Amino acid sequence: MASIKRIGVITSGGDCGGLNAVIKGISRKAYSLGVESVVIPNGYAGLYNLVDLDDVVLLNAERVSKIEASLAGSEAGHSRVKITKIDDPNKYERIKRGLDKFNIDGLVISGGDDTGSVVVDLASRNIPCVHVPKTMDLDLQSYSVGGDSAINRISVMTRDLRTTGLSHNRILVIEVFGRYVGHTAFRGGIGAEADCILIPEVPVDFDVVYEHMKTTYMARVERSDVKAGTYIIVVSEGIKTSGGEMLYDESAGVDAFGHKKLAGAGKYVRQQLEKRLKNDPDVEKFMKRTGMYAPGVYLIPEVREVTPGHLVRSGQSSAFDVSFGYKAGAGAVLLLMEGKFANTVVNVEGTKILYQPTEEAIKRREVDIEEITLFETLGTCFGRKPPKFEYEFEEMKGPIPRHV
Ligand code: F6P
């Protein structure tokens, strides 16, 4: 057992659902072991500046009871500051002085891949710390808190947009966060019964998307007794063309982690569809048949992009994330107390604390393309010609892996 009497809690990177449950899980588990926990505010920026703070907030029973686990965001605050990038040769000494000043013996740090790489770095410099996986992008090896909340919000927002899409017979393109992977667009899109889901793992063939849209949308409007129809596309911000180029807007710049800010995928998809609608002779006939045509005014169906942006990681956390957050926070305290530094808590299954070296846990996990082929057979377009769904059977023996 490591001799830890006071734990510093850090949340870093982009905020998301479930983080307040992580904080509560840490503080309550620590309290049950007779250990104190305190907030180091504003991510790694706060860790770097700790030595200059007058005070830190003690997560005692009273303070913790004021934190609402079901609210997204983090009571500990965030920044996208990465310690390795701070331009100060004495930064590690400064951090150690801050920790000494407040008698902090170990850190529980919740964040994604960039945050995790700092956990590995700090541990190698004899700063005891462990990692709680957090990112709405779900691109870590294990489940990360925030993913389920984001998926549910994407799904609800996309479903909600259907009413306005239907009223105006519009084709709607909803661009969602997720950076270089499509987990949240994929699951959120399926949850909303989107017609088309575009993810970075599948280079987009816009002719395929257009054909699917045209057939589905036109049939829908024509079948409707009031000539109403919409077509919904969920697009991940990190999609690529068939040539492998990412479709972001260069003018968006980079964030403090040094990553390109992704923006513009939805606009690009809209432009691709509009171009094809304008050049397709069937479209005018369709507009006339369905009574939508108005010369000089309404020649093609409208395509609109909607970008919910930070809304997909704000507001309410899902119940799953609250539950996972509590478990992961508590599990991380146990890892830290046991001296298992530079590890990521993967889950707590009953009385088993599952963990993995952080160096491994932060390796990027993409959507398994095999998972989308079934949905392609059910009619969802993923921006490519669907391959044959080759399947096999496997009888499960022994205990079945847990889902929740
Ligand atoms: O990494 C989480 C994430 O929400 C990404 O999906 C998105 O690209 C990015 O953060 C947005 O970051 P910021 O809040 O810094 O604009």
Side-chain angles (χ1 to χ4, degrees):
M1 286 283 261
S3 141
I4 288 179
K5 298 268 177 294
R6 202 177 224 209
I7 296 172
V9 181
I10 296 175
T11 54
S12 161
D15 67 339
C16 60
L19 276 168
N20 284 321
V22 171
I23 296 171
K24 291 183 95 161
I26 296 169
S27 51
R28 289 195 165 149
K29 188 73 230 162
Y31 180 79
S32 76
L33 300 171
V35 172
E36 282 184 345
S37 57
V38 297
V39 167
I40 298 181
N42 304 320
Y44 288 134
L47 181 63
Y48 177 70
N49 291 310
L50 188 60
V51 69
D52 294 333
L53 294 187
D54 293 331
D55 218 342
V56 284
V57 170
L58 179 67
L59 289 167
N60 57 21
E62 197 200 340
R63 184 64 183 85
V64 170
S65 69
K66 289 188 182 139
I67 301 174
E68 187 67 65
S70 65
L71 281 185
S74 165
E75 192 79 358
H78 279 255
S79 64
R80 284 206 185 270
V81 170
K82 199 168 172 179
I83 296 293
T84 37
K85 295 215 163 160
I86 298 177
D87 198 4
D88 172 359
N90 300 318
K91 56 197 174 196
Y92 295 105
E93 280 317 304
R94 182 173 155 84
I95 289 172
K96 285 178 184 167
R97 279 193 282 121
L99 294 172
D100 285 348
K101 176 173 172 180
F102 293 106
N103 300 316
I104 297 169
D105 315 299
L107 302 171
V108 176
I109 303 174
S110 188
D113 53 351
D114 284 300
T115 301
S117 68
V118 175
V119 169
V120 177
D121 179 43
L122 293 176
S124 75
R125 292 167 198 278
N126 295 323
I127 297 176
C129 53
V130 296
H131 175 229
V132 174
K134 170 255 35 149
T135 169
M136 59 146 287
D137 300 344
L138 285 173
D139 59 352
L140 305 179
Q141 291 298 312
S142 64
Y143 177 74
S144 53
V145 74
D148 186 67
S149 304
I151 287 169
N152 280 294
R153 285 180 69 83
I154 288 169
S155 165
V156 168
M157 284 173 194
T158 303
R159 270 203 316 262
D160 284 354
L161 282 164
R162 194 175 290 278
T163 58
T164 179
L166 258 179
S167 305
H168 289 262
N169 287 5
R170 281 177 178 152
I171 294 137
L172 295 179
V173 182
I174 298 124
E175 175 189 317
V176 297
F177 277 176
R179 215 178 271 285
Y180 309 117
V181 295
H183 297 287
T184 47
F186 172 28
R187 304 294 176 187
I190 293 293
E193 296 188 81
D195 300 298
C196 176
I197 301 169
L198 304 176
I199 58 175
E201 291 84 347
V202 181
V204 185
D205 182 333
F206 283 101
D207 290 332
V208 170
V209 176
Y210 181 72
E211 274 315 305
H212 188 269
M213 182 275 280
K214 181 180 163 184
T215 320
T216 314
Y217 169 79
M218 286 187 178
R220 213 166 257 165
V221 178
E222 299 208 54
R223 263 201 323 263
S224 158
D225 57 353
V226 287
K227 297 288 167 266
T230 182
Y231 182 88
I232 308 271
I233 304 177
V234 173
V235 53
S236 180
E237 62 179 351
I239 54 161
K240 298 189 187 87
T241 61
S242 43
E245 298 147 56
M246 285 190 64
L247 302 174
Y248 55 82
D249 177 355
E250 288 282 356
S251 64
V254 293
D255 66 20
F257 277 164
H259 298 304
K260 288 206 164 71
K261 285 187 190 155
L262 304 179
K267 182 174 162 195
Y268 189 89
V269 173
R270 169 174 62 75
Q271 288 168 340
Q272 290 294 320
L273 296 180
E274 280 174 346
K275 194 168 75 185
R276 286 165 175 78
L277 282 165
K278 280 181 193 148
N279 293 332
D280 185 343
D282 293 344
V283 173
E284 189 177 315
K285 291 181 217 149
F286 159 79
M287 295 292 281
K288 287 181 174 161
R289 265 199 319 275
T290 52
M292 288 163 68
Y293 188 75
V297 185
Y298 197 14
L299 307 178
I300 60 168
E302 286 178 289
V303 187
R304 292 293 184 90
E305 83 257 19
V306 179
T307 309
H310 294 85
L311 279 171
V312 304
R313 59 180 219 218
S314 309
Q316 292 290 310
S317 299
S318 70
F320 181 85
D321 272 338
V322 172
S323 164
F324 180 82
Y326 261 111
K327 288 199 293 179
V333 169
L334 296 172
L335 278 181
L336 188 72
M337 299 302 289
E338 199 59 35
K340 294 186 181 298
F341 310 138
N343 279 301
T344 298
V345 57
V346 168
N347 201 355
V348 180
E349 282 187 1
T351 53
K352 218 184 277 170
I353 318 298
L354 305 177
Y355 68 96
Q356 188 179 31
T358 303
E359 211 164 358
E360 288 301 313
I362 58 176
K363 288 188 178 153
R364 186 183 297 169
R365 183 180 66 94
E366 299 186 340
V367 171
D368 178 356
I369 295 306
E370 285 201 348
E371 289 219 25
I372 70 171
T373 50
L374 173 69
F375 292 99
E376 286 174 319
T377 67
L378 305 179
T380 311
C381 174
F382 282 85
R384 65 171 185 175
K385 285 203 183 77
K388 194 166 183 305
F389 178 58
E390 308 274 9
Y391 60 92
E392 55 186 328
F393 294 101
E394 184 184 324
E395 189 186 337
M396 305 274 318
K397 299 207 169 68
I400 293 175
R402 293 181 192 189
H403 300 291
V404 285

